[in-house]
Every structure is written in C-alpha cells, then in structure tokens.
Amino acid sequence: MIATKENKIAENSIISQMTTFNHEQLVFCQDNATGLKAIIAVHNTILGPALGGTRMWMYNNEAEALNDVLRLSRGMTYKNSLAGLNLGGGKAVIIGDARTQKNEALFRRFGKFVNSLAGKYITAEDVGISPQDMVWVNMETNHVAGLPGKSGDPSPVTAYGVYVGMKASAKQQFGNDSLAGKKIAVQGVGHVGQYLVEHLTKEGAEVYISDIQEATLKNIATKFGAKVIGLDEIYDLDMDIYAPCALGATINDDTLNRLKCSIIAGAANNQLKDEAIHGVEVMKKGIIYTPDFMLNAGGVINCYAEVKDLSAKWAMDKAEEIYKTTTTIIERSKKDNTPTYAIANQMAEERIEAIGKVKLPL
Ligand code: NAD
C-alpha cells in the first residue's frame, strides 16, 4: 500500500512504535472495578509462546509504561532464543504502586486478560511481583510460571549459569577456566549474588563483595570468607573479574574510566548503559564483556522447566550450556572484531530466522 497523507501511520503512533522492532501484539487492559491498568506486549512467537514476567511499577505516564513493555518484551525474545528454548518473547506491566495497590481482585482481573490470549503469552514474576500475586493470577489462567511449590526460586540456576559463563570467559581471556586465585568483585549479594559467591569461594577465588544492605553483606562475608568493599570503591578495585549482580547501567562513561578488570560477567540486567557506545568501549579496552541476557538466562530456563514439567536437573544441565554459548560468542567476537553484545543479538536472530523457516509450511 502506498503511504498517503490519510493512511500513513503517524511516526509517534502506537502501531508505529510496534513496527520499529516488529512487535506482534499489544493488549491494553483496563478495569474500573479493580483499578487495573496494564499492558501486555507480545514481541515474537516464532519459537513458541511468548514468556516473560509481569512488572508492577508506578510509571510517571503511559508513554513510559509502553516504552518499557515494548523494550522488555523484545529483550525476552532475544534471551529465550539464545538460551535455546522454544519460547518467544513477551512481557507485561501493571501501572501502580506495588507497596499499596496490590490485591486479589486486581491480580485475578489481570489473570483474565492473560487468559484471553489463550497461551500465546505466559507470565511470571518480575520487579514488584511476588509468587503470591502469581497464585491469584493462576486462579484465572494456567498460563503462569513461578508459582510457589513448583520450580521454586530461580536464583540458584541463574547463579550457576553466571558461574559457568564466567569460567568460559576466563578460558578465553587467561588460557584456562580456573577461577582459583582470581580476584573477583561481586556487586550485590542478594538472591543470585550469594549463590555466585558460594561457587566462587568454593573454587578458591579471592572474592570481594558490596551491598547496600549491611546485614546481608556481613552475613555473606562471614559465611563464605569474602572481603567487603565500599559501594563506590568497587569500581576502582584492581580485579580480574567484575560481576554486577545488583543494578543495570553500571558500565557507563564514569565507570569505564575506572574499571581495571579483564572480564565483566554478572547477573544484572542491562549492564551496558548504552549498548552501542559502552559495548564498543569495553572491547576497545580489551575487556571481555559477557552479554548479560545470555549469562542470566538461568531464571527463564527455570520457568521453562516449570511450564514443560521438566526436572530441576534438566534446568541445571540447560544452564550449563551457557559455557558453550559464551565460548561461541567470544570466539565470533574476536574473529569478526565485533562487540560481544552484537554477536549475541545476531545469534539470537539467526536462530529465530532458521526456526521460522522450519515452521512456515504447515
Ligand atoms: P536481589 O534484589 O535479591 O539482589 C540484589 C542485591 O543488590 C540486594 O541485596 C541489594 O541490596 C543489592 N544492591 C542494590 N543496590 C546496590 C548497589 N548500589 N551496590 C551494591 N549492591 C546493591 O536481586 P536478585 O534476584 O539477586 O537479582 C540480581 C540481578 O540479577 C537483578 O538485576 C536481576 O534483574 C537480575 N536477574 C536475576 C535473576 C534471578 O533468577 N533472580 C534472573 C535474571 C536476572
């Protein structure tokens, strides 16, 4: 169709935003009785149903919520593809205050909207959502993962994936994958960070930890014999490996001038403040950046095991494949002189394209 003044989609329209990264479907959910205001985004279902958590957040405005759900759902397509799962990418956001506005009716109403997609979208927990909230969602739909008593806390699987990926990066950077004697700083020793510290100290690494929670910090330092380092001081530590396991965007203009490490490998999402800038800068500095969405896929692997009724052992074995994927990404990055994040994106796209060809003829 030729774009005319009448039929041309306005550049800032919602459908136009969907076309930018080829999102398949958006569902706007509104209900006066419960006060529910939510958006479900299905980015891509070529590999399978779109799986991704629901985030509850007090967005400043609808445009912010829409932008977040579009960005996050696309991220899930890449993560699920690269993890080798038969899952597409999706995400949901509920606009509201997770501390004061949660109740059974709200989540059951949301569950009805999830159910209306008939399995095209599978939800789970994300920021602001607890397993109890998912129990309410589950009263209205079976398309939920992360329920209590099922696959359980994903953090041990996530931490194991980060650990094996870190070893694979060490092999590429230092010639062997032993982490014994390596100086490693783990930023954030919450759910994932503490399991990671356990793996690292067991292997004989010299582990430094930081966290804003003093009690957690002391507890983990004592339990695993890790050394405590200041919240900001961590960026100046002369270390082999920096493992961000708390916040996003810690690889930025400021920290890149300070970081003295050979590898960056951690669980936090969106570690590069700006992929196109900082993903290139890390490579120029000779640091191996292990792409976060590939390294932290243990969480979604755990969800997939729950959805497909697979064992905990299956999930750990699948997370172990992160070693091989890390190796492939770093080798391709060196060969093509291209940043690791870009190679990871390419590999995710290649799989979707290849499987798309298999699925076309019915
Ligand atoms: P968590 O909330 O349990 O732990 C995060 C820890 O970081 C907390 O102890 C917090 O006090 C600490 N922290 C916050 N700000 C800090 C700062 N400025 N400096 C140092 N520490 C700080 O979260 P988690 O489940 O362990 O997840 C960690 C990261 O990994 C998050 O970015 C999360 O999105 C990502 N992730 C987690 C999983 C999973 O399975 N839990 C899966 C994929 C990705």
Side-chain angles (χ1 to χ4, degrees):
M1 184 164 75
I2 297 165
T4 63
K5 204 176 170 190
E6 289 72 35
N7 68 21
K8 189 173 181 291
I9 294 165
E11 270 169 30
N12 59 355
S13 76
I14 290 170
I15 290 187
S16 158
Q17 290 182 62
M18 290 172 75
T19 61
T20 309
F21 292 112
N22 207 9
H23 282 78
E24 286 179 17
Q25 192 173 0
L26 272 181
V27 181
F28 288 85
C29 318
Q30 197 293 126
D31 182 54
N32 283 349
T34 57
L36 176 74
K37 289 182 179 37
I39 312 173
I40 301 170
V42 174
H43 175 249
N44 187 299
T45 55
I46 289 178
L47 295 178
L51 186 142
T54 296
R55 177 169 292 195
M56 186 163 183
W57 194 255
M58 202 65 223
Y59 293 98
N60 289 318
N61 51 56
E62 278 174 31
E64 225 178 57
L66 178 63
N67 187 47
D68 211 26
V69 80
L70 289 172
R71 186 180 62 86
L72 293 167
S73 57
R74 177 170 172 258
M76 288 310 299
T77 298
Y78 282 73
K79 178 181 287 209
N80 292 338
S81 171
L82 204 52
L85 303 173
N86 292 326
L87 289 175
K91 202 90 183 182
V93 294
I94 296 177
I95 303 170
D97 189 335
R99 288 165 306 175
T100 57
Q101 286 177 287
K102 285 185 178 184
N103 58 63
E104 179 183 348
L106 181 104
F107 282 103
R108 289 184 70 161
R109 191 69 188 92
F110 176 67
K112 276 191 181 292
F113 280 109
V114 171
N115 204 48
S116 73
L117 286 165
K120 191 176 192 181
Y121 169 64
I122 303 169
T123 197
E125 294 96 348
D126 193 66
V127 176
I129 302 288
S130 71
Q132 173 54 48
D133 303 332
M134 284 298 130
V135 170
W136 286 326
V137 173
N138 186 221
M139 288 175 185
E140 305 298 336
T141 183
N142 287 325
H143 307 299
V144 188
L147 293 164
K150 294 267 179 94
S151 65
D153 178 12
S155 309
V157 187
T158 305
Y160 185 61
V162 172
Y163 169 63
V164 297
M166 190 185 277
K167 283 177 77 65
S169 307
K171 175 96 192 279
Q172 295 293 319
Q173 192 70 299
F174 309 125
N176 77 67
D177 73 3
S178 170
L179 299 175
K182 293 281 181 280
K183 211 164 159 179
I184 304 173
V186 180
Q187 181 180 47
V189 284
H191 286 91
V192 180
Q194 40 188 287
Y195 286 106
L196 180 63
V197 170
E198 185 174 4
H199 287 298
L200 300 177
T201 49
K202 254 191 196 157
E203 193 169 329
E206 188 185 349
V207 180
Y208 287 75
I209 57 172
S210 74
D211 203 292
I212 50 170
Q213 307 276 355
E214 278 297 319
T216 312
L217 196 57
K218 276 195 191 134
N219 174 30
I220 301 303
T222 314
K223 198 165 165 194
F224 301 113
K227 294 170 190 160
V228 171
I229 186 151
L231 292 176
D232 188 56
E233 212 186 334
I234 193 167
Y235 300 113
D236 299 312
L237 184 71
D238 199 353
M239 57 190 153
D240 296 300
I241 302 171
Y242 166 53
C245 294
L247 314 161
T250 64
I251 304 159
N252 52 49
D253 289 344
D254 170 43
T255 59
L256 266 180
N257 280 323
R258 299 162 64 186
L259 282 171
K260 290 186 281 289
C261 60
S262 305
I263 292 169
I264 298 171
N269 281 312
N270 306 317
Q271 293 166 24
L272 298 167
K273 183 160 187 207
D274 184 325
E275 273 189 351
I277 299 170
H278 305 111
V280 174
E281 282 302 310
V282 277
M283 188 171 79
K284 279 192 190 152
K285 285 172 90 64
I287 297 173
I288 290 183
Y289 166 69
T290 318
D292 47 19
F293 72 91
M294 181 274 302
L295 202 61
N296 68 20
V300 78
I301 288 172
N302 206 55
C303 279
Y304 186 73
E306 183 176 326
V307 170
K308 295 280 179 187
D309 216 6
L310 300 163
S311 66
K313 182 180 178 313
W314 178 89
M316 286 304 243
D317 289 348
K318 192 74 184 161
E320 193 152 353
E321 290 177 14
I322 289 174
Y323 187 106
K324 199 165 153 254
T325 312
T326 305
T327 306
T328 309
I329 290 173
I330 300 170
E331 284 176 351
R332 263 179 72 166
S333 161
K334 286 180 187 163
K335 186 168 106 354
D336 301 349
N337 194 29
T338 302
T340 49
Y341 85 86
I343 298 289
N345 286 344
Q346 274 172 24
M347 283 170 58
E349 283 165 8
E350 283 163 13
R351 179 163 179 253
I352 294 167
E353 203 186 324
I355 304 303
K357 285 180 191 149
V358 176
K359 291 202 169 168
L360 272 181
L362 286 176

